[in-house]
């Protein structure tokens, strides 16, 4: 039984909520994953597919999760359960909230490890560790970091402490205030790097690579990759947006707010491409170098370019800010659940949740070194956690949310709540009931077959 200790928190302003939601969406997926996926998947072809998919899949699921959260005004488990009961449906829909919280919980355990890498690289670049090094030396530095359980543990711990402190302070004083500080700083750093690129070569080549349509590269694999990334970049299917929606007042226009979040998220992802690819092209590096694009390829460039120490340190500070704004959102649903379902205070709930996640993160980082021989169905702990969440928990939770809103809730009330005219309502119905669910099913089935 839920223990009601205090009135449910609310965002202090729509602006604060937008920044928090954008902060959750703008994480390593935008700054780290998006550029290397563009590089691996045909440049502009991936960008075109991504923009198409984020509009038809990401946008409606984001709105659906906020709508459910605002209706419930509780943690994701209780929210799904209560909203379902109010709609005359089974309370077992609360399982959907539980799978979302579990997904975010597991993701943060290994996400924090990568956040620790970014923290570590701020100091490495700032102290000139990569100056004059070739590709083999930079790769050896990265491999040495992964091989050191002690180094990874220290930085993983620092990153988790930063995350826990922010979440423990509260929704408005912690999460919202942090978003108001870090998101503008993130934007400033990102556009400083883009501005540097405009003046120092490779920018025109990067623009052509990202925005010149090349439909010959628009394959089924590229479409599926774009669809999967559009789904995950908005932090849907993790309980996050249901939890964030529970702090929303009725005065917030969900469609307009979602449109703002999607546009800002996409602009920052594209700006990340303009921050990274000019450096890659001007230094003769491979844009299709995969996950190592950030931690191996770019340090080579920073070590050889003018002002590379400053630009490199700013870049990894940017990565860290993006990681933190996402990590606090990944922790929040678990903390909200513990705070509302137990007698623990928010501070204690945060400590308990963070400690368990930190311990699981230790297991994940040990898969790179001391536990490298231990596998789960052929995968190390880090990769197993990644695949469990990305291939199962997130798509199934997101699918359930859009199906619940599209097929199980009173559609007349939803039309009124979203403020849609009849013509626009018909379009929403087509997207929410058919296009988005079918697209998620396609991604889910295809990923299992891959």
């Amino acid at each position: 039984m839920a223990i009601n200790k205090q009135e449910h928190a609310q965002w202090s302003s729509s602006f604060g909520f937008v920044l928090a939601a954008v902060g959750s969406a703008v994480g390593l997926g935008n700054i780290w994953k998006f550029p290397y996926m563009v590089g691996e998947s045909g440049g502009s072809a991936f960008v075109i597919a991504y923009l198409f998919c984020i509009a038809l899949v990401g946008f409606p699921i984001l709105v659906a999760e906020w709508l459910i959260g605002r209706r419930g005004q509780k943690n994701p488990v209780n929210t799904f359960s209560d909203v379902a009961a109010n709609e005359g449906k089974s309370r077992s829909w609360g399982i959907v909230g539980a799978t979302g919280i579990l997904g975010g919980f597991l993701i943060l355990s290994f996400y924090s490890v990568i956040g620790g890498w970014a923290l570590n690289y701020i100091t490495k670049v700032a102290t000139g560790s990569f100056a004059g090094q070739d590709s083999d030396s930079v790769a050896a530095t990265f491999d040495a970091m992964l091989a050191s359980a002690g180094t990874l543990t220290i930085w993983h711990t620092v990153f988790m402490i930063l995350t826990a402190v922010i979440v423990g302070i509260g929704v408005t004083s912690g999460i919202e205030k942090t978003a108001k500080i870090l998101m503008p700083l993130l934007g400033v750093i990102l556009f400083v790097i883009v501005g540097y690129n405009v003046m120092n070569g490779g920018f025109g080549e990067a623009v052509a690579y990202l925005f010149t349509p090349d439909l010959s590269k628009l394959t089924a694999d590229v479409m599926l990759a774009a669809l999967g990334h559009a789904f995950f970049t908005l932090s849907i299917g993790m309980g996050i947006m249901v939890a964030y929606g529970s702090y929303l007042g009725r005065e917030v226009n969900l469609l307009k707010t979602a449109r703002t979040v999607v546009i800002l998220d996409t602009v920052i992802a594209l700006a990340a491409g303009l921050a990274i690819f000019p450096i890659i092209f001007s230094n003769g590096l491979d844009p299709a170098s995969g996950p190592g694009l950030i931690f191996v390829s770019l340090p080579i460039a920073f070590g050889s370019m003018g002002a590379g120490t400053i630009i490199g340190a700013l870049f990894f500070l940017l990565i860290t800010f993006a990681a933190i704004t996402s990590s606090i959102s990944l922790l929040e649903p678990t903390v909200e659940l513990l705070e509302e379902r137990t007698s623990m205070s928010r501070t204690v709930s945060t400590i308990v949740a963070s400690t368990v996640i930190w311990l699981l993160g230790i297991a994940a980082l040990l898969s790179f070194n001391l536990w490298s021989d231990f596998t789960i169905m052929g995968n190390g702990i880090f990769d197993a956690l990644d695949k469990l969440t990305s291939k199962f928990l997130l798509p199934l939770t997101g699918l359930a949310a859009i199906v619940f809103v599209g097929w199980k809730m009173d559609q007349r009330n939803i039309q009124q709540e979203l403020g849609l005219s009849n013509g626009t309502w018909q379009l929403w119905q087509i997207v929410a009931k058919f296009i988005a669910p079918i697209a998620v099913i396609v991604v889910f089935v295809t990923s299992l077959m891959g």
Side-chain angles (χ1 to χ4, degrees):
M1 179 179 294
I3 299 176
N4 296 317
K5 293 170 289 192
Q6 59 183 27
E7 184 179 350
H8 197 68
Q10 297 282 294
W11 302 106
S12 67
S13 66
S14 296
F15 177 70
F17 166 66
V18 167
L19 286 183
V22 173
S24 176
V26 176
L28 293 174
N30 289 70
I31 312 296
W32 174 50
K33 192 173 184 180
F34 179 79
Y36 86 69
M37 289 187 74
V38 170
E40 289 183 328
S41 303
S44 62
F46 179 86
V47 174
I48 293 169
Y50 170 78
L51 294 176
F52 180 78
C53 294
I54 204 168
L56 293 180
V57 180
F59 179 84
I61 295 179
L62 179 63
V63 173
E65 292 197 358
W66 282 350
L67 189 148
I68 295 168
R70 186 166 69 177
R71 289 279 187 95
Q73 292 286 302
K74 295 178 182 175
N75 65 80
V77 176
N78 283 39
T79 282
F80 267 97
S81 179
D82 289 355
V83 173
N86 290 338
E87 296 285 343
K89 304 299 185 295
S90 170
R91 282 189 171 273
S92 60
W93 278 95
I95 295 172
V96 178
T99 59
I101 292 175
L102 177 61
F105 181 93
L106 296 177
I107 288 169
L108 182 54
S109 68
F110 64 84
Y111 193 96
S112 177
V113 175
I114 305 173
W117 298 353
L119 279 172
N120 188 14
Y121 266 57
I122 293 174
T123 60
K124 284 185 180 298
V125 175
T127 55
S129 297
F130 299 110
Q133 290 197 20
D134 59 18
S135 58
D136 290 338
S137 299
V138 173
T141 299
F142 182 66
D143 291 340
M145 179 186 70
L146 295 186
S148 174
T151 299
L152 293 182
T153 298
I154 289 171
W155 291 108
H156 162 59
T157 302
V158 172
F159 188 86
M160 274 306 304
I161 289 173
L162 288 173
T163 301
V165 168
I166 294 168
V167 173
I169 292 173
V171 174
T172 54
S173 299
I175 298 174
E176 185 176 344
K177 187 171 290 186
T178 299
K180 286 180 177 179
I181 295 171
L182 291 189
M183 288 310 299
L185 283 176
L186 187 151
V188 169
I189 293 172
L190 184 58
F191 286 102
V192 164
I193 298 173
V194 172
Y196 173 88
N197 288 336
V198 171
M199 305 298 294
N200 288 276
F203 190 77
E205 191 176 355
V207 170
Y209 185 72
L210 285 168
F211 301 113
T212 302
D214 185 358
L215 299 182
S216 67
K217 295 182 180 179
L218 194 60
T219 65
D221 286 343
V222 170
M223 283 297 299
L224 289 171
L227 188 55
H229 189 63
F231 183 79
F232 300 125
T233 189
L234 290 176
S235 299
I236 49 184
M238 308 177 196
I240 293 171
M241 292 307 175
V242 177
Y244 276 22
S246 74
Y247 303 130
L248 273 178
R250 301 285 295 186
E251 74 282 356
V252 175
N253 185 304
L254 297 183
L255 288 174
K256 288 183 179 178
T257 306
R259 182 178 61 198
T260 301
V261 169
V262 166
I263 290 173
L264 288 175
D265 177 64
T266 304
V267 166
I268 291 175
L270 294 173
L274 294 176
I276 291 170
F277 286 116
I279 298 173
I280 293 294
F281 290 134
S282 63
N283 286 272
L285 300 173
D286 183 9
S289 54
L293 184 70
I294 300 300
F295 293 101
V296 177
S297 296
L298 283 180
I300 299 172
F302 294 142
S304 62
M305 62 193 284
T309 299
I310 297 173
I311 296 299
L314 281 175
F315 180 81
F316 284 105
L317 188 64
L318 167 71
I319 293 283
T320 301
F321 284 173
I324 288 175
T325 57
S326 289
S327 67
I328 58 179
S329 68
L330 287 165
L331 180 57
E332 175 59 25
T334 302
V335 171
E336 184 185 30
L337 177 71
L338 292 178
E339 187 182 14
E340 294 182 357
R341 296 288 289 263
T342 73
S343 59
M344 292 187 290
S345 66
R346 182 174 185 87
T347 300
V348 176
S349 297
T350 303
I351 293 172
V352 169
S354 300
T355 301
V356 177
I357 291 170
W358 174 79
L359 288 171
L360 186 57
I362 296 294
L365 66 86
L366 288 178
S367 66
F368 292 110
N369 37 73
L370 299 180
W371 291 359
S372 59
D373 293 332
F374 178 78
T375 60
I376 302 172
M377 299 181 67
N379 298 289
I381 297 173
F382 187 100
D383 290 335
L385 289 169
D386 184 14
K387 289 184 178 180
L388 173 62
T389 52
S390 64
K391 287 194 172 186
F392 291 94
L393 293 179
L394 270 60
L396 290 178
T397 303
L399 174 63
I402 194 66
V403 167
F404 183 70
V405 169
W407 294 93
K408 299 298 181 180
M409 295 178 68
D410 187 303
Q411 298 300 294
R412 290 170 297 179
N413 289 339
I414 291 176
Q415 182 180 5
Q416 292 177 355
E417 187 168 344
L418 296 181
L420 293 173
S421 62
N422 288 334
T424 311
W425 173 245
Q426 295 299 323
L427 177 61
W428 166 264
Q429 290 270 281
I430 293 171
V431 172
K433 286 191 171 185
F434 301 104
I435 295 177
I438 290 172
V440 175
I441 291 171
V442 168
V443 171
F444 177 65
V445 173
T446 305
S447 68
L448 292 182
M449 296 170 61

